[in-house]
Structures are given as C-alpha cells and as structure tokens.
C-alpha cells in the first residue's frame, strides 16, 4: 500500500480514465444523486466485457428496488453495498479466468467475503477506506489466501478525488467527530479538509445534476488540479 498523500495531486480528466473506471464512477454518481454513498462497482469478464454493475444503495428506501434479469438490488439495508449489488447481478455465472471486480472504494469485510463466495478471481479498488477497508483479508484469512480473490489497489489517479467525494457525501454531522473522521484526518488530511468543506457547502450536490463529468471536474478544481 502507498503512503498517505503529502499534498495536492493532479486529477486526471474524466475522459482520460479507462472505460472500466468511468463505468464505476457512473455508478458512484448515480448513488450520490439518490442520497447514497458515492461508491460504484463493475464486474468484468476475461475479454473485458461488463458482466454486472452495482452501486451503494444504503440511503434509499428499498420499497421499489429495481430488478435486473429477475434479481433485485438491495436497497435501504446495511447490506446494500456496491460490490454486493454487483455480485447479485452476476448470479451463478462462472468464467475462466475468473471475473474481476472493480470498485471505487476498498471493500469492507462483507464485500471481501462476498467476493470470495462469488468465485471472483481478483478485486481492484481505486481508493482506500481507512475505516472499514478490509483488503488485508486476502493476505491474512486462510480461506481467501488459498482460494482468492487477489487484491490490487489503490489507484493513484483516482484515490484522492474519490476519498474527497466520499467524505463530501456524508450528510450526518456526527460523522465529523470521533474515530471515523480522526483516521481520515490523520492519514489523508487533504481529502479530509476538502471533503468536509464540500460537505458543508454542498457544492458537489449543486453540480451533480450536470453529470458525473461535472462532479469529477469540480473535485479536480477543489483539489487544486491545474488541468
């Protein structure tokens, strides 16, 4: 894992990002628009084809969760994580080599376990989660050590803006104190500073209706990108 960032980092323009990460960010944007955390996930096959997508749905009612191929997404539940929703859409499909899960945020213990149960071969995450991130399970839990998935991340071009976006999305004022936010302030001070300021100003909410690229550009500006 990389060391914490020391200062502002260049934010690569949205159009220069690989298509799989654009797809993940699109899912994160949809979650953000709907009052959930901006976390998106995509599962791809051996040829790079998209097999399933999912997004965080924690902040939604769950009364009218959409179905894809007869399988409902989970909404309004502590289990309504982006990775879990993508895995649900994958169903029982198995390919060789095994599918790869891309996700904007380091998976929690629930999502790492679900990735193993679903038979995924690899998990690639863009940004660390200093509170719930459990990528270390791949190295320390025998069940995952033996059977996978392997884990890669974070992605330097994506991590800082995604951390900032996640912190900006937390609407609960209580999240700004205690051990949760203390971890972010200690390890990623720039993301914490800018993210919490955006949380107060709601600036990202104001541009979100213009699309995911508008949100990404706004994050770049706030983080001092020269692009």
């Amino acid at each position: 894992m990389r060391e914490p960032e020391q200062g502002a980092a260049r934010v690569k323009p949205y159009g220069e990002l690989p298509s799989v990460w654009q797809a993940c960010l699109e899912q994160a944007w949809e979650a953000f628009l709907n009052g959930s955390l901006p976390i998106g996930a995509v599962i791809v096959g051996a040829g790079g084809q998209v097999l399933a997508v999912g997004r965080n749905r924690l902040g939604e009612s769950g009364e009218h969760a959409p179905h894809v191929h007869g399988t409902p997404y989970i909404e309004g539940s502590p289990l309504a994580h982006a990775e879990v929703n993508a895995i649900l859409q994958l169903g029982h499909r198995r390919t060789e080599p095994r599918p790869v899960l891309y996700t904007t945020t380091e998976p929690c213990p629930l999502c790492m376990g679900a990735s193993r149960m679903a038979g995924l071969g690899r998990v690639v995450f863009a940004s660390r989660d200093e509170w719930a991130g459990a990528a270390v399970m791949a190295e320390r839990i025998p069940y995952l050590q033996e059977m996978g998935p392997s884990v890669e991340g974070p992605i330097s071009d994506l991590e800082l803006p995604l951390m900032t976006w996640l912190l900006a999305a937390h609407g609960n004022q209580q999240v700004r104190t205690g051990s949760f936010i203390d971890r972010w302030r200690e390890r990623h001070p720039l993301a914490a500073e800018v993210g919490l300021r955006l949380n107060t100003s709601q600036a990202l909410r104001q541009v979100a209706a213009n699309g995911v690229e508008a949100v990404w550009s706004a994050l770049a500006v706030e983080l001092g990108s020269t692009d």
Side-chain angles (χ1 to χ4, degrees):
M1 298 297 179
R2 296 191 300 104
E3 292 301 312
E5 83 276 12
Q6 300 299 314
R10 176 183 180 273
V11 177
K12 181 176 287 190
Y14 182 84
E16 295 181 12
L17 299 175
S19 60
V20 67
W21 288 119
Q22 290 186 11
C24 286
L25 291 176
E26 181 81 17
Q27 290 295 310
W29 170 71
E30 288 189 17
F32 185 57
L33 280 184
N34 285 279
S36 294
L37 296 176
I39 301 174
V42 173
I43 298 175
V44 303
Q49 73 276 26
V50 174
L51 302 178
V53 301
R55 64 173 177 80
N56 188 285
R57 294 174 180 263
L58 286 172
E60 296 158 61
S61 68
E63 296 178 359
H64 305 290
H67 289 61
V68 176
H69 306 304
T71 301
Y73 288 110
I74 300 175
E75 283 189 354
S77 162
L79 305 181
H81 293 201
E83 299 89 342
V84 169
N85 273 319
I87 288 168
L88 283 173
Q89 301 315 309
L90 183 67
H92 295 289
R93 283 178 286 175
R94 295 292 183 269
T95 62
E96 289 296 339
R98 291 184 290 169
V100 179
L101 170 69
Y102 290 84
T103 178
T104 57
T105 302
E106 181 180 357
C108 69
L110 167 70
C111 296
M112 281 301 301
S115 297
R116 167 62 193 97
M117 296 292 184
L120 300 180
R122 188 158 54 102
V123 171
V124 184
F125 67 90
S127 65
R128 286 165 285 188
D129 182 342
E130 294 297 345
W131 182 248
V136 70
M137 288 174 60
E139 301 172 357
R140 296 185 181 178
I141 305 299
Y143 186 50
L144 278 77
Q145 283 181 315
E146 293 292 329
M147 304 297 293
S150 62
V151 178
E152 298 176 19
I155 307 299
S156 59
D157 289 335
L158 298 169
E159 183 170 45
L160 182 57
L162 282 170
M163 284 182 170
T164 303
W165 192 2
L166 187 64
L167 289 166
H170 278 286
N172 186 344
Q173 297 295 321
Q174 294 178 354
V175 83
R176 300 187 183 195
T177 61
S179 54
F180 172 87
I181 199 59
D182 287 345
R183 286 174 181 266
W184 290 96
R185 284 189 170 124
E186 177 185 354
R187 299 285 294 168
H188 309 285
L190 180 61
E193 175 191 350
V194 177
L196 295 178
R197 172 162 49 80
L198 289 171
N199 177 273
T200 299
S201 70
Q202 294 293 292
L204 291 184
R205 297 281 180 193
Q206 296 168 18
V207 303
N210 296 323
V212 61
E213 291 187 59
V215 173
W216 196 250
S217 295
L219 286 166
V221 170
E222 293 291 339
L223 289 167
S225 171
T226 58
D227 279 359

